[in-house]
Amino acid sequence: MKKQYLLGLAIVLGFYSCNDSTDPISVSPITINSDSEALTARVKMDKAGVIGLIDPTAPAGRIQEESSDLPLVLVSQVDAPQVGNQTLRATHVDIDGDYAYVSYNMEGDTYLGAVDIFDISNPYSPKITEQAIFSDTDISSLEYKNGILYLAAAVDIDANSEVTSPANLITVSVSGGRFTSGFAYTSLPGYVATDVANTNSNTAVTSGNDGIIGLFDAAQTAGNSTEMEDLRAVAFGNDKLAVLSGTSGVHILDPNSLSEVISIPLPADVAGAKRTLDIENGNLYVSEGANGAGIYKMSDGSLVQKLAIPIRPNDVEEGDIVTNAVSVDNNLLFMANGAAGISISDVSNLSAIKEYGVLDLAGSSNFVRNEEEFVFVATGFGGLQILKINKASTDPTEAVCAGLPAYPGDYWLNVNGGETKKFGGAASIGGLNNNSNFLFCGSLAVLDQFNMNGGSVTEIYGSLAFGRMNANNTMHVNSTLKLSGSIVIYGNLNLNSGGKIEFVGSGNSLTVFGTVTQNSGSSITGNFTDTEGKVK
């Protein structure tokens, strides 16, 4: 195995950072682009806003007509990078703190790849800070750890004489949304490196087509390796390595010796198809193609549960309805099911898994990554869709929020005259019509209508998301609306005469992507940041 540092690139990067140029820098075969404004032009908000869930038991395409305790917001769509007249496709995402790292490749025989770095510190306005384009390399997967980005790649050996095999592990230092070193290549057997994961002391890389699972230390020196056929994915957890073979299934290995501890046989999969693994709470989640997802115990490999693909559209090829990827975090399981979309399940109780439904998103779903409050969905040549999970969040000093029950009600929440309704936690509903007194503490997402009629008092403490871009949604305030936390309106805000918005406490933010109309006799008071500068 041979490791080659692209030192020329490192030197140019140092010069570049000192001169603060925005022109792309090309040191064949890698082009670095740090023009954040131009890169971020690929980030669109045409369909941003509150996202509904499709009910698998309802007629095709119907949004479920009941409330959900999982408020989701589509933050933005990101066009895939284009190199010349060629459009790349997203292959993998990793998230760490304020940054997300996205890899791309080119379908077919052409070697062409990229890595984008996203700044997600403002969750409602992600920006691309820097990009690397690889003219002779496909990037299959990536992982970030301790300031290093690890890339699993396939390199055109006819174009790059510095590598000894097509399958390569590439490493680069990153900091503050920038590449801060040269790219180091380490070759390993196989035609393509398919996945990468870091253990406590090594980096584990898989390669397909008569490839290996191999270990590399911090200096990228090769350690133990084992030949395995058609490896697709690797994951580390519970002090074990799990690898997925497209021909023989899952193998759970000792992370140092790579000796097999447990084998989980699975049916042979479609050659070359994207598949992933994830590990949480001692359980292994496996994307199993047409068979959906499997959940197994890491301790002994026993089957815990199988999750079928919940909907099977009639107007697509059966071969396009496959689970390509699984991602689980904080007991939420997302399955990327190709033409059948993204399904979501609560796996906190594996003996009684709660299926939320299917995200109302356009396009086929090839990859999904769920971490903390973000969900990144890769739709092949359609690029990325970035979602935010609006988690329940309240100020613990607010005595008014103590002990509130979860919202158990209908998809449309109506408060009649003389009624008082109070709820806490997280809820996603179709509409709110308040004629009296309504209090919500936590995270509330409202899809279509938000009306506060004369004489009513509406209090929302935590976070609120309302509407969808280009859907002509308007929040009508005809009375008193008390708010605390993060308020995002994907539409218009209309304060009629007598309408009052009162922000409670400090650290509040108001984001309105449409227009703000303040009629005579209305007011907005309190401490808040007007992120879009729409309030007069």
Side-chain angles (χ1 to χ4, degrees):
M1 300 183 186
K2 182 175 181 181
K3 177 169 60 182
Q4 173 70 23
Y5 289 88
L6 298 185
L7 295 178
L9 179 61
I11 294 170
V12 173
L13 282 175
F15 175 79
Y16 167 80
S17 62
C18 293
N19 285 271
D20 195 28
S21 168
T22 57
D23 293 329
I25 294 173
S26 179
V27 177
S28 183
I30 302 173
T31 301
I32 300 295
N33 187 346
S34 297
D35 187 345
S36 180
E37 183 176 354
L39 292 168
T40 303
R42 289 170 32 219
V43 180
K44 314 293 185 183
M45 292 190 62
D46 299 345
K47 298 179 181 178
V50 176
I51 288 293
L53 292 171
I54 298 171
D55 182 355
T57 65
R62 178 174 294 176
I63 301 296
Q64 61 186 27
E65 298 179 354
E66 60 182 41
S67 66
S68 166
D69 61 359
L70 185 64
L72 289 158
V73 173
L74 177 62
V75 172
S76 56
Q77 310 92 36
V78 185
D79 293 340
Q82 287 191 320
V83 181
N85 61 353
Q86 298 174 301
T87 301
L88 303 183
R89 63 173 184 176
T91 56
H92 211 91
V93 180
D94 199 14
I95 303 169
D96 184 84
D98 288 339
Y99 296 98
Y101 307 90
V102 182
S103 60
Y104 304 86
N105 71 8
M106 187 71 192
E107 196 169 54
D109 296 332
T110 301
Y111 288 88
L112 188 62
V115 174
D116 281 333
I117 304 178
F118 285 77
D119 181 343
I120 53 176
S121 56
N122 179 349
Y124 297 102
S125 184
K127 300 181 184 303
I128 305 175
T129 56
E130 198 158 69
Q131 179 189 76
I133 297 287
F134 299 78
S135 64
D136 64 356
T137 300
D138 281 335
I139 309 298
S140 307
S141 180
L142 53 71
E143 182 170 281
Y144 170 90
K145 185 177 180 181
N146 296 336
I148 304 292
L149 199 57
Y150 299 82
L151 312 176
V155 180
D156 183 356
I157 58 174
D158 293 328
N160 190 330
S161 61
E162 301 298 333
V163 298
T164 58
S165 171
N168 275 264
L169 168 65
I170 305 175
T171 59
V172 60
S173 297
V174 292
S175 178
R178 305 284 181 178
F179 301 106
T180 58
S181 76
F183 291 76
Y185 287 60
T186 305
S187 297
L188 60 150
Y191 289 100
V192 55
T194 54
D195 202 6
V196 57
N198 284 283
T199 71
N200 294 330
S201 55
N202 291 296
T203 300
V205 186
T206 54
S207 61
N209 295 17
D210 300 323
I212 65 165
I213 167 70
L215 300 179
F216 299 85
D217 65 15
Q220 308 314 320
T221 302
N224 289 325
S225 65
T226 298
E227 292 183 3
M228 287 190 182
E229 187 177 358
D230 193 18
L231 288 177
R232 312 287 180 88
V234 59
F236 175 71
N238 289 79
D239 291 324
K240 295 184 180 71
L241 272 177
V243 295
L244 175 61
S245 163
T247 55
S248 59
V250 175
H251 303 269
I252 298 178
L253 313 174
D254 180 278
N256 298 308
S257 67
L258 297 183
S259 60
E260 185 167 284
V261 179
I262 299 163
S263 177
I264 305 172
L266 295 174
D269 201 355
V270 177
K274 176 80 173 182
R275 300 290 182 259
T276 70
L277 303 169
D278 209 351
I279 300 171
E280 184 176 77
N281 297 329
N283 296 301
L284 175 66
Y285 296 78
V286 183
S287 54
E288 298 184 9
N291 296 317
I295 308 173
Y296 304 87
K297 289 183 179 179
M298 285 290 291
S299 58
D300 58 11
S302 61
L303 175 66
V304 177
Q305 190 66 266
K306 291 270 191 178
L307 286 176
I309 298 170
I311 61 173
R312 309 190 77 84
N314 296 322
D315 56 347
V316 299
E317 294 291 333
E318 190 69 21
D320 293 332
I321 304 174
V322 290
T323 301
N324 297 308
V326 291
S327 180
V328 60
D329 185 60
N330 290 324
N331 292 315
L332 279 178
L333 170 64
F334 286 73
M335 296 165 55
N337 300 318
I342 299 286
S343 59
I344 313 172
S345 302
D346 181 341
V347 293
S348 55
N349 182 355
L350 289 174
S351 62
I353 293 175
K354 175 181 178 180
E355 297 191 38
Y356 280 105
V358 177
L359 284 174
D360 183 24
L361 294 175
S364 180
S365 302
N366 299 330
F367 179 81
V368 63
R369 180 60 186 270
N370 155 41
E371 189 166 330
E372 296 297 335
E373 61 181 342
F374 284 99
V375 183
F376 278 68
V377 177
T379 56
F381 297 110
L384 288 169
Q385 303 195 66
I386 305 175
L387 294 92
K388 182 178 182 294
I389 303 171
N390 273 14
K391 297 182 178 181
S393 174
T394 60
D395 182 350
T397 66
E398 292 284 354
V400 69
C401 291
L404 293 180
Y407 176 62
D410 297 327
Y411 192 56
W412 298 93
L413 196 165
N414 187 62
V415 184
N416 297 316
E419 282 187 321
T420 296
K421 292 187 176 182
K422 301 179 180 181
F423 304 105
S428 182
I429 61 177
L432 169 66
N433 186 47
N434 184 19
N435 295 287
S436 185
N437 297 294
F438 175 67
L439 167 68
F440 195 96
C441 295
S443 175
L444 180 65
V446 183
L447 185 63
D448 286 320
Q449 297 182 20
F450 200 116
N451 298 318
M452 289 148 283
N453 299 316
S456 66
V457 177
T458 303
E459 300 175 80
I460 299 175
Y461 302 133
S463 66
L464 169 66
F466 166 69
R468 292 168 292 178
M469 295 292 287
N470 301 319
N472 199 30
N473 293 127
T474 299
M475 178 185 291
H476 295 283
V477 182
N478 299 294
S479 56
T480 300
L481 173 60
K482 295 183 178 182
L483 300 170
S484 177
S486 171
I487 314 302
V488 182
I489 300 172
Y490 292 94
N492 306 312
L493 173 62
N494 182 30
L495 283 81
N496 292 318
S497 181
K500 300 178 181 179
I501 295 180
E502 300 176 8
F503 279 94
V504 179
S506 61
N508 305 304
S509 65
L510 173 65
T511 301
V512 182
F513 290 110
T515 61
V516 175
T517 303
Q518 295 174 250
N519 292 301
S520 177
S522 66
S523 63
I524 301 178
T525 60
N527 184 296
F528 69 99
T529 300
D530 176 17
T531 64
E532 300 300 301
K534 298 295 180 68
V535 178
K536 298 176 182 177

